[in-house]
Amino acid sequence: MQQYSADLLAIYAAAPGTKIFRAHLFKIGPTRNNSFLYATDGRRPITWDAGDGAGPQVYHPWLYGFWKRGSQAVKIGFESNSIESTVYSDEQFQPIYFPGTNQLVYLLDGIYAGLLQGSSVTIYRATMTQWGVTTGPTGGSLVTTRFVGEVGEIENLGPTKCVVKVRDLFYRLNLDCPNQLLQSNCRWVLYSAGCTLNQASFTRSGSIGAIVDPRSFNPTAELVPFTPSGTFSKGIIKFTTGRNNNIAYTVAAWTPGEGGPDLIVLDKPPLFNMTVGDDFTITQGCSHTFASCLDFQGSTNARLNYGGTPFVPCPETAV
């Protein structure tokens, strides 16, 4: 239930004869590169402490793009509500960069690369009699929470703007429970709680020795999987230095060198060009088959933890 401070109620009570300023505040994050965006649709920055332990933050009208709260879809019952927020970013007029990328990735390029995917979003509204003053005379907050959710679909992504659909957490109630199908492949995300494997126990470190093409390279040293039939294909590579620092990608293919250099192919070119000497960590991949689980966990644990039903017959042979 929404609560209003006595100071805010006093502003509403005196509204007919009081000049009031209103602005929305957008707190977005953590993003996939562990950054936060603090934006406002006001014309000047607003400093406010959300009480989340991060301390006072400056909500910018332009540093993270020009954000605008759009229409809100409200549904009765347990269906998910949503808000469409539009963000404008014209790099020809004012370069706007995605946070945490050392001013190297434009905002919309970062959104296109999925750095906002699944990020938490909280939209506040500040009601002020003096711009930037978010606390009333008796210490009451003049900021209220208007919407809480997560980034969903990205729509109409163009050269200067995009529409970000924010869904409230009711959408999770529409997910199938249990989220399981009778299928031969494992349903668990690799290294998740259901998988039970410790990611750190299957992670190697390395550095780039030679660039093959925009999404392929040879590491400086041979990479050895942790299991007899292991592979780094379908694993995760995360750069720890260089321009792609702290950004992770999926390994599309890994070819062992067998006396020569290994070959690592990413699923897509990184946001920044890779360079020789960039350090990375790479985790062993999994094909989500029972054979792969046996290789990872052994006979007993694989039968206990495997998230599929490998002995269900194919539709062609089932009666």
Side-chain angles (χ1 to χ4, degrees), residues 190-191 198-208 217-219 221-226 231-240 247-256 262-267 278-286 296:
L190 184 59
Y191 306 118
N198 183 8
Q199 181 172 344
S201 300
F202 296 92
T203 300
R204 298 283 190 197
S205 299
S207 60
I208 296 178
F217 67 88
N218 303 123
E222 180 182 2
L223 298 171
V224 180
F226 292 84
T231 177
F232 292 104
S233 297
K234 300 184 180 179
I236 300 297
I237 184 171
K238 183 176 182 179
F239 290 96
T240 55
I247 303 178
Y249 302 92
T250 301
V251 178
W254 166 74
T255 305
D262 293 1
L263 176 64
I264 296 177
V265 182
L266 307 185
D267 63 332
D278 288 351
D279 296 325
F280 62 85
T281 60
I282 186 170
T283 59
Q284 189 168 316
C286 177
F296 266 110

Side-chain angles (χ1 to χ4, degrees), residues 185-202:
N185 286 348
C186 181
R187 71 182 185 276
W188 300 123
V189 176
L190 184 59
Y191 306 118
S192 66
C195 173
T196 74
L197 293 174
N198 183 8
Q199 181 172 344
S201 300
F202 296 92

Side-chain angles (χ1 to χ4, degrees), residues 12 54-55 57 61 65 101 137 144 167 171 180 186 192 204 214 221 238 251 253 269 302 305 311 317:
Y12 286 132
Q57 300 293 330
T101 61
T144 56
R167 307 171 297 188
Y171 87 92
Q180 180 177 356
C186 181
S192 66
R204 298 283 190 197
K238 183 176 182 179
V251 178
N305 300 321
F311 305 112
T317 58

